[in-house]
Amino acid sequence: MRSYNLFQLKSVEGLCCAVPEASSVPPFIGAGRWTFGGKLDGASRQPLDFDDRAADTAVRFNGFYLFQTMDRRFIA
């Protein structure tokens, strides 16, 4: 698994954006509506709803991976 920076949308419970650590953060993240939720890597527990294969595909096309989680550890 690659390492990601995780951001959480303040207005929608559980909506997360995972951005590869080596990539630049998408402009919509910097609008003040998102909070930094930590790092995801091989050493940390990822959200139960995080799909590695979907993340790889989304990052290849978009540069980031949006997903919704019900995992309370990752809800802002």
Side-chain angles (χ1 to χ4, degrees):
M1 176 181 161
R2 71 173 81 191
S3 296
Y4 294 93
N5 288 317
L6 186 68
F7 300 90
Q8 300 163 321
L9 186 60
K10 295 176 185 176
S11 62
V12 179
E13 188 173 279
L15 186 61
C16 299
C17 181
V19 180
E21 236 178 5
S23 300
S24 59
V25 176
F28 66 86
I29 296 291
R33 296 182 306 232
W34 295 78
T35 59
F36 180 70
K39 295 189 180 291
L40 298 177
D41 57 26
S44 62
R45 287 183 32 202
Q46 65 188 32
L48 300 172
D49 318 88
F50 190 89
D51 183 335
D52 289 325
R53 288 181 52 199
D56 285 340
T57 301
V59 166
R60 188 166 12 116
F61 289 104
N62 303 320
F64 57 88
Y65 171 51
L66 287 175
F67 67 99
Q68 184 111 22
T69 185
M70 300 301 286
D71 190 332
R72 288 281 168 208
R73 295 172 298 139
F74 298 93
I75 295 178

